Amino acid sequence: MKKFLSLMAILLVILVVLLNFILPTNLANILEEQIVHATGAQEVDVSLSSSPNIRIAIGEIDKIHGTAGLGRIGDIYFKNLTVDGENLRLDVLEILFPTKKLTEKERISKIFKYADKIDMHGTITEEELKNFIALKVDKLENADVKIKPEGVTASGQVKIMGRTADIDLAGNFIVDNGDVYFRMTNLNVRNTLVRHIQLDRFFGDIKILESTVLPLGFQFDSVEMREGEAVLSAIHK
């Protein structure tokens, strides 16, 4: 009888350790892998907390916090990404033992059963926005971009009728139907002898990111302009 009770006590200790430490750590590691797969970020860290901690093993998460270093979403690189959530209910079995033949969207919907709040923030630098605008604006060279709380300004050179012209433009980020655009609000073309310029070559909305490229079922919600950077926010739908 004593041996049986001792064995049961040992099994109970193992179960407590499993539920309190091993499963939560394993769950956090799997979520980190999802972020790495979606963004290519190399430095990813996810922490989960609940009171008591054993609730994590059944998918009841009081708080989740995740960070990622340099990563790419769509065609643009982010300096960093953060994910924060409160009062989540996750399907732990689906995370640990994925159902076969489910699409990624279907699997995410099954994993995230409920959340009071879960959002993501990503920071874009001036340098990355410069590279992106130079790529998207037809034949823009020597681009220089500045991000300030009041908006974005950019300058560069383009070829118009074989002649190099200087352009200055200004604009802001907007979110439309879950997608992020750079909307030009002002354009000035200098040093050109051409009087009639087809401004639609340069002037208009440039799509920065589509919500379909976001991981874990997020959708873009807002953009905050700061000195030297823009912070894109997304929420889980």
Side-chain angles (χ1 to χ4, degrees), residues 4 12 14 23 26 28 33 36 45 70 92 108 115 118-120 140 159 179-180 182 190 194-195 197 199 227 229:
F4 175 75
L12 181 60
I14 294 174
L23 279 180
N26 191 34
E33 290 173 1
V36 170
D45 180 69
L70 181 65
V92 176
I108 293 301
I118 180 167
D119 51 35
M120 180 174 69
L140 179 64
K159 293 289 186 179
D179 299 331
V180 180
F182 174 70
R190 297 175 283 109
V194 181
R195 294 185 177 182
I197 303 173
L199 295 184
E227 193 71 32
E229 61 186 27

Side-chain angles (χ1 to χ4, degrees), residues 160-171:
I160 300 177
M161 302 294 290
R163 184 182 178 90
T164 299
D166 298 318
I167 68 169
D168 301 302
L169 60 89

Side-chain angles (χ1 to χ4, degrees), residues 34-213:
Q34 291 288 319
I35 296 175
V36 170
H37 176 72
T39 67
Q42 297 301 311
E43 298 180 4
V44 179
D45 180 69
V46 174
S47 62
L48 310 173
S49 63
S50 287
S51 182
N53 202 52
I54 196 171
R55 293 172 52 234
I56 296 176
I58 59 174
E60 296 183 359
I61 316 295
D62 288 344
K63 291 186 178 181
I64 181 173
H65 177 67
T67 60
L70 181 65
R72 179 174 178 172
I73 297 179
D75 293 327
I76 200 162
Y77 284 93
F78 287 83
K79 182 175 73 173
N80 54 59
L81 292 165
T82 62
V83 177
D84 291 282
E86 297 177 0
N87 192 23
L88 286 79
R89 298 295 180 266
L90 306 180
D91 188 333
V92 176
L93 290 178
E94 181 60 34
I95 295 174
L96 298 176
F97 309 103
T99 303
K100 295 181 179 180
K101 297 183 180 180
L102 285 183
T103 66
E104 185 67 18
K105 185 176 182 180
E106 290 171 339
R107 182 166 181 253
I108 293 301
S109 297
K110 189 173 182 180
I111 289 174
F112 286 91
K113 298 165 64 175
Y114 174 81
D116 277 353
K117 172 189 175 184
I118 180 167
D119 51 35
M120 180 174 69
H121 304 283
T123 303
I124 298 175
T125 64
E126 289 177 336
E127 181 68 20
E128 177 55 26
L129 184 59
K130 179 190 77 171
N131 296 335
F132 187 86
I133 290 178
L135 178 67
K136 294 297 182 179
V137 177
D138 186 29
K139 299 179 181 179
L140 179 64
E141 299 176 350
N142 302 319
D144 182 52
V145 173
K146 299 296 181 185
I147 301 177
K148 296 184 178 297
E150 59 270 20
V152 178
T153 58
S155 62
Q157 296 176 323
V158 295
K159 293 289 186 179
I160 300 177
M161 302 294 290
R163 184 182 178 90
T164 299
D166 298 318
I167 68 169
D168 301 302
L169 60 89
N172 284 287
F173 289 102
I174 64 167
V175 178
D176 185 13
N177 197 30
D179 299 331
V180 180
Y181 296 83
F182 174 70
R183 173 166 291 174
M184 283 184 272
T185 56
N186 185 57
L187 175 66
N188 181 37
V189 182
R190 297 175 283 109
N191 300 331
T192 179
L193 300 177
V194 181
R195 294 185 177 182
H196 301 289
I197 303 173
Q198 292 181 326
L199 295 184
D200 57 356
R201 283 184 58 199
F202 314 102
F203 199 83
D205 292 346
I206 302 174
K207 183 176 285 188
I208 302 292
L209 285 165
E210 293 183 352
S211 60
T212 55
V213 303

